[in-house]
């Protein structure tokens, strides 16, 4: 019953998760009077129907074509890798920004403008002290 899942890279833990929850994270269950009521497990399922019950729950983890979707572990791994790549890109962008800023601050024009600002600030504070 789980061959397709193992071929797709699923683990035993992924199968247990799939038997307990649906791909959207909700517990397996049913709609009762318009409300979703979780139904935990195989309690009360006759042994003769257990295979059907397992297939029913695992089929929620297949797409419309019947192909097994990514497992919870694969999803977490993919999201962690994407977050890591995004963080690396942000770090690189910040390092590049700081490098550009550093290069801009080494020009003679920058130093002249900085000195002019300092002179203006110091001139104001001298005038304020005279008053």
């Amino acid at each position: 019953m789980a061959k397709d899942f193992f071929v797709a890279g699923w683990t035993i833990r992924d199968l247990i998760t799939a038997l307990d929850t649906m791909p959207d994270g909700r517990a397996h269950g049913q709609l009762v009077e318009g409300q979703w009521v979780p139904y935990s497990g195989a309690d009360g399922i006759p042994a003769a129907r257990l295979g059907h019950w397992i297939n029913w729950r695992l089929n929620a983890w297949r797409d419309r074509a019947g192909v097994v979707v990514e497992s919870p572990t694969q999803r977490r791994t993919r999201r962690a890798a994407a977050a890591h790549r995004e963080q690396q890109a942000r770090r690189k962008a910040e390092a590049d920004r700081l490098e550009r800023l550093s290069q801009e601050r080494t020009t003679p024009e920058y130093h002249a403008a900085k000195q002019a600002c300092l002179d203006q600030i110091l001139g104001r504070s001298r005038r304020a002290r005279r008053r």
Side-chain angles (χ1 to χ4, degrees), residues 100-119:
R100 279 192 315 276
L101 194 58
S102 174
Q103 288 175 356
E104 288 172 5
R105 289 181 178 175
T106 60
T107 64
E109 294 84 10
Y110 174 82
H111 287 292
K114 180 179 173 183
Q115 190 59 49
C117 288
L118 286 173
D119 291 343

Side-chain angles (χ1 to χ4, degrees), residues 17-90:
T17 300
L19 290 173
D20 290 337
T21 61
M22 297 178 22
D24 64 6
R26 291 181 298 160
H28 279 283
Q30 59 189 8
L31 280 173
V32 175
E33 297 176 9
Q35 297 241 338
W36 187 256
V37 178
Y39 181 72
S40 65
D43 299 340
I45 305 290
R49 302 282 300 152
L50 193 55
H52 174 73
W53 178 85
I54 290 171
N55 277 329
W56 177 260
R57 290 212 169 181
L58 291 180
N59 280 338
W61 292 83
R62 294 178 184 272
D63 64 13
R64 290 179 185 248
V67 177
V68 175
V69 298
E70 69 181 351
S71 73
T73 300
Q74 291 166 336
R75 184 179 299 155
R76 277 190 305 276
T77 302
R78 178 183 50 80
R79 287 180 178 168
H84 179 73
R85 285 190 305 272
E86 193 174 300
Q87 183 182 42
Q88 292 297 98
R90 278 195 309 270

